[in-house]
Amino acid sequence: MVIDPKHEDVSSSPARLEAVSGPLEGRTFLLTEGEVSIGREPSNQISLLDSLVSRRHSVIRKDGGGFLIQDLDSRNSTFVNNVPIKERLLADGDQIRIGKSTLVFQGLTTNDGDGRASLKFDTEPTPGGPTLVLRKQDAIYLQPSRLQALRASERTVRDLNVLLNFSKSLNLVHGLAALQEKVLEAVFEISPADRAAILLTEEGTQGFASVMGRDRRLGPNQTIEVSQTILKRVIEEHVAVLSNDVPSDETYREAESLLAPRVSAVLAVPLEVQDKLLGALYLDTSSQGARFDSELLQLVTALGNVAALAIENAHHLERLGDENRRLQQELNIEHNMVGESERMREVYQFVSRVAARESTVLIQGESGTGKELVARAIHGNSGRANRPFMAINCAAIVDTLLESELFGHEKGAFTGAVGQKKGKLEMAEGGTVFLDEVGELAAPLQAKLLRVLQEREFERVGGTRPIKLDIRLITATNRDLNDASRGGTFRQDLYYRLNVVSVELPPLRERAEDIPLLAAYFTSKYSEKVNRRVAGISPKARACLLRYPWPGNVRELENAIERAVVLGSTELILPEDLPDSILEEAASAEGPVTALHDGIREAKKKIIEQAIEQANGNYTEAAGLLGVHPNHLFRLIRTLNLTPKRQRRA
């Protein structure tokens, strides 16, 4: 067998950051193995003299084969591609925005040559002749009981020191290729071999998955000829093989790989961990005066055993790295959602798993949690991404119009139908239809939708011809459809058709750690939209946002930030820019937020107390006097810490 590791022409460019805007515009920063800090302080590797940047704003560190950026709880967030992040694995071309600066990440680029070895098999004579074979149970360095009884000669002590030093050196080596190089170096140090090679197998494949060879005189990347005859025995029988005087050995008379380079001695040992074979370590020599003896066979066998454990660990780390990158890719799906909490990571993983499938999806969650964003993410990462996405809110259209909106109508189907009209289902052919608030569908429309799912066809209103349909259906609801189906208000058979795969979106109060990210995102979005520079959110305002329960979820938070951006007058969003309901909640928890709000709060208390007194304790009448809904009055009483008087009896 011929192992020919071709020269590996690897030209690489290190990962780097290029500043395209801000005080460091035009400068380039190389990313190293260590941690690169970014912030306002001069002690940072990348120092940005910008009042919007925190002293230590973020760091970038090596993570496996890539680079990870982490925000250090900065005041104004770290943005990657205009989305605030806590932690993100960077991809080539990502734009990092910190304060007024934008840095473009350029990943490690390599141009790898073909480093695979070419294999050529020689003839296979039957093994035999004067060959020394060492089985695992006879390896003295692998049997502690035999080692204790062994007379410690000078060479034995030397060999044990060699094994000890070799084991220690492996702890400093990272990566499978570097590990194999270390093993080959050790082989040349302890033996008179001219050539050595490591051949690794892979479960479920024929032959060798990888080979690495070295010639003592010519160095690496040289053609190394090895004998399949010897390797076959080593691998099949899990034994170490030693043969001297190869030219006179009848066993190898027809082995061209041994005769051509005039090999005089061969030694090969298996690489195995707990009876699992990983490959073989092979060495030979052409020097007539060089010999491989039984003690060298014992030493190389032990060295191979130590190396096999390190190789298995390296394989395991590579598999973990591959799995980590796979999981990162799952999280790096294309979407417009913001959040890095554990609950949102579960949502991203759900999207990555179901997007490529054709199954019907049911999205459940309170109003304002982002159900349509999830639906769009599923569509955008599916094979239908280039086809239409049709969104319909079933609760926003009266039943008589919704049927026509969904299925279309023929000319003259009803009064006002002056022409034929295609419905949203037909217009979405080949794409995705998203039905929001599907629980609000009337019974007749539920029956028609069930037929669409079962038969994949429908008829326009007033039509008689069935129309074939190829769509994916995604539905959403804030109702418990399971309870509705048991109560008879929603068809049970339709519920089962819709609930093939489902996901529950968390309310904002259950992922409070995402509130600063969402607030930073909406601040950036609306400051650009209204053309007013707002750099971030003040600490007091952020504290108010975190204390509020957000019954309207993300939609309410977005509205609050938009209002603050429009009405605010400073570079930062302040507590007084936020809606009163948020300030009242914060005040009830920790006292007045500002002196102005304290005065407003006291004035509200007096007005409400006067109205209740005027209504003789009747809260409904008091609410009428104040011009608010009774529920709003009850909430004001709670948040203002008023002591309600007993309501008069009717």
Side-chain angles (χ1 to χ4, degrees):
M1 177 170 27
V2 178
I3 302 178
D4 182 16
K6 300 177 182 176
H7 178 68
E8 201 170 85
D9 178 20
V10 180
S11 58
S12 64
S13 176
R16 58 195 183 278
L17 292 177
E18 182 178 346
V20 296
S21 68
L24 300 180
E25 182 177 352
R27 291 188 58 183
T28 299
F29 303 90
L30 297 183
L31 299 178
T32 62
E33 293 288 331
E35 189 175 87
V36 176
S37 63
I38 306 173
R40 193 173 72 247
E41 286 185 345
S43 59
N44 292 285
Q45 284 92 330
I46 301 179
S47 178
L48 301 174
L49 299 178
D50 182 348
S51 61
L52 303 179
V53 177
S54 300
R55 290 184 176 87
R56 276 181 55 82
H57 200 101
S58 57
V59 294
I60 298 177
R61 66 173 66 93
K62 195 80 161 58
D63 183 70
F67 285 87
L68 188 93
I69 185 168
Q70 179 183 14
D71 183 78
L72 300 177
D73 293 326
S74 64
R75 185 180 64 183
N76 294 315
S77 297
T78 300
F79 290 75
V80 176
N81 300 329
N82 292 322
V83 175
I85 58 94
K86 288 183 180 177
E87 192 174 89
R88 177 72 59 86
L89 193 65
L90 291 170
D92 192 50
D94 277 350
Q95 293 191 10
I96 304 166
R97 179 159 59 83
I98 297 174
K100 300 173 183 176
S101 299
T102 300
L103 306 165
V104 177
F105 173 74
Q106 297 178 9
L108 181 68
T109 57
T110 61
N111 181 19
D112 297 336
D114 185 3
R116 296 183 61 190
S118 60
L119 304 178
K120 178 183 178 182
F121 294 94
D122 57 17
T123 56
E124 300 183 27
T126 304
T131 300
L132 180 60
V133 174
L134 179 67
R135 303 185 184 281
K136 189 174 183 179
Q137 59 268 30
D138 297 322
I140 58 174
Y141 295 122
L142 305 183
Q143 307 293 332
S145 58
R146 296 190 63 183
L147 190 58
Q148 290 174 1
L150 185 68
R151 184 177 178 181
S153 66
E154 184 179 341
R155 182 166 179 180
T156 303
V157 173
R158 189 201 70 182
D159 289 352
L160 287 171
N161 282 326
V162 167
L163 289 173
L164 179 61
N165 292 331
F166 176 67
S167 300
K168 289 180 178 179
S169 68
L170 291 184
N171 294 328
L172 304 175
V173 178
H174 301 285
L176 186 57
L179 176 62
Q180 294 180 81
E181 288 283 1
K182 195 71 176 177
V183 174
L184 294 178
E185 287 177 10
V187 166
F188 287 127
E189 288 177 7
I190 65 173
S191 76
D194 291 326
R195 289 163 295 275
I198 296 176
L199 305 95
L200 299 181
T201 59
E202 187 173 318
E203 191 173 353
T205 61
Q206 295 289 330
F208 298 104
S210 72
V211 292
M212 178 178 286
R214 177 184 286 272
D215 188 295
R216 184 189 291 273
R217 291 171 300 169
L218 302 177
N221 303 318
Q222 302 295 325
T223 299
I224 307 296
E225 299 182 355
V226 301
S227 170
Q228 184 185 15
T229 308
I230 293 176
L231 286 175
K232 183 177 181 182
R233 186 170 187 186
V234 169
I235 289 172
E236 289 183 355
E237 300 180 25
H238 291 216
V239 296
V241 175
L242 164 63
S243 180
N244 284 304
D245 301 321
V246 169
S248 61
D249 193 336
E250 293 290 335
T251 306
Y252 308 120
R253 179 160 293 177
E254 297 181 18
E256 296 179 1
S257 58
L258 299 178
L259 298 178
R262 301 191 180 187
V263 172
S264 59
V266 176
L267 192 156
V269 302
L271 301 173
E272 57 181 338
V273 177
Q274 297 180 344
D275 297 326
K276 176 185 177 182
L277 187 72
L278 305 181
L281 175 59
Y282 178 98
L283 48 152
D284 68 27
T285 181
S286 300
S287 303
Q288 296 304 313
R291 290 184 62 82
F292 297 158
D293 57 23
S294 60
E295 290 181 313
L296 178 63
L297 181 62
Q298 292 279 0
L299 179 58
V300 175
T301 300
L303 186 143
N305 192 268
V306 174
L309 182 59
I311 289 171
E312 176 67 3
N313 288 337
H315 276 314
H316 183 60
L317 287 174
E318 285 188 350
R319 287 192 291 269
L320 287 177
D322 291 341
E323 178 67 9
N324 182 56
R325 283 187 287 274
R326 184 188 67 79
L327 292 174
Q328 287 290 347
Q329 288 173 353
E330 279 191 358
L331 295 179
N332 288 339
I333 55 172
E334 292 185 9
H335 62 81
N336 293 321
M337 293 173 279
V338 174
E340 296 184 11
S341 61
E342 186 60 32
R343 295 291 302 275
M344 287 307 295
R345 287 179 181 272
E346 291 172 2
V347 173
Y348 301 152
Q349 289 177 354
F350 173 83
V351 171
S352 70
R353 290 179 184 135
V354 305
R357 310 293 187 264
E358 287 294 308
S359 303
T360 301
V361 179
L362 175 62
I363 305 170
Q364 303 177 86
E366 297 178 8
S367 293
T369 51
K371 296 187 286 292
E372 184 171 341
L373 286 179
V374 174
R376 289 186 180 276
I378 293 172
H379 171 75
N381 290 276
S382 72
R384 299 175 180 266
N386 295 325
R387 304 297 298 167
F389 177 89
M390 293 290 175
I392 305 166
N393 189 327
C394 300
I397 307 174
V398 296
D399 295 340
T400 52
L401 295 179
L402 183 58
E403 183 177 13
S404 174
E405 190 74 13
L406 281 173
F407 302 102
H409 60 254
E410 299 288 354
K411 181 179 180 180
F414 50 83
T415 304
V418 295
Q420 185 192 77
K421 176 190 173 183
K422 290 184 178 182
K424 291 291 180 67
L425 294 178
E426 193 173 352
M427 293 168 64
E429 174 66 19
T432 303
V433 172
F434 172 59
L435 298 182
D436 198 5
E437 304 301 346
V438 69
E440 306 303 320
L441 280 178
L445 287 180
Q446 291 180 31
K448 294 194 72 171
L449 182 59
L450 179 63
R451 186 193 172 200
V452 169
L453 292 173
Q454 289 176 332
E455 308 296 334
R456 293 292 167 178
E457 65 178 28
F458 70 98
E459 295 173 2
R460 298 192 189 106
V461 177
T464 57
R465 179 177 61 88
I467 300 172
K468 291 293 182 182
L469 190 64
D470 173 26
I471 61 164
R472 182 181 191 174
L473 186 65
I474 301 176
T475 59
T477 181
N478 59 11
R479 295 178 56 190
D480 189 332
L481 290 189
N482 190 23
D483 284 348
S485 66
R486 288 199 296 263
T489 58
F490 196 85
R491 291 184 65 116
Q492 197 169 52
D493 48 3
L494 177 59
Y495 169 67
Y496 293 139
R497 282 284 183 176
L498 298 180
N499 191 33
V500 178
V501 288
S502 64
V503 63
E504 179 85 24
L505 298 192
L508 189 54
R509 62 183 174 275
E510 293 181 8
R511 56 180 187 111
E513 60 266 44
D514 288 334
I515 291 175
L517 292 178
L518 286 160
Y521 173 75
F522 292 134
T523 300
S524 175
K525 174 182 175 181
Y526 286 106
S527 64
E528 183 177 340
K529 185 175 180 180
V530 303
N531 197 26
R532 189 177 86 79
R533 180 167 183 78
V534 181
I537 302 169
S538 71
K540 282 190 175 181
R542 184 181 289 111
C544 293
L545 296 177
L546 288 170
R547 283 195 291 265
Y548 187 63
W550 300 108
N553 294 295
V554 179
R555 186 181 294 123
E556 184 182 6
L557 173 61
E558 181 176 6
N559 292 340
I561 296 298
E562 181 181 9
R563 175 189 187 276
V565 170
V566 171
L567 298 181
S569 57
T570 64
E571 196 174 40
L572 293 177
I573 290 178
L574 303 175
E576 51 265 35
D577 300 328
L578 299 173
D580 289 344
S581 57
I582 297 175
L583 298 181
E584 287 163 4
E585 191 75 30
S588 65
E590 293 190 4
V593 179
T594 65
L596 175 62
H597 182 259
D598 187 22
I600 295 173
R601 179 182 172 85
E602 291 303 317
K604 282 184 178 180
K605 280 185 177 181
K606 289 181 180 179
I607 293 171
I608 292 172
E609 287 172 344
Q610 289 173 0
I612 294 174
E613 184 178 352
Q614 186 177 344
N616 294 322
N618 187 305
Y619 294 157
T620 304
E621 288 185 14
L625 292 172
L626 293 170
V628 298
H629 193 277
N631 290 343
H632 187 201
L633 177 60
F634 288 129
R635 185 167 64 83
L636 285 171
I637 291 172
R638 177 177 60 83
T639 56
L640 293 172
N641 288 328
L642 286 172
T643 303
K645 296 179 180 179
R646 183 180 298 276
Q647 185 174 359
R648 74 180 183 193
R649 293 184 179 179

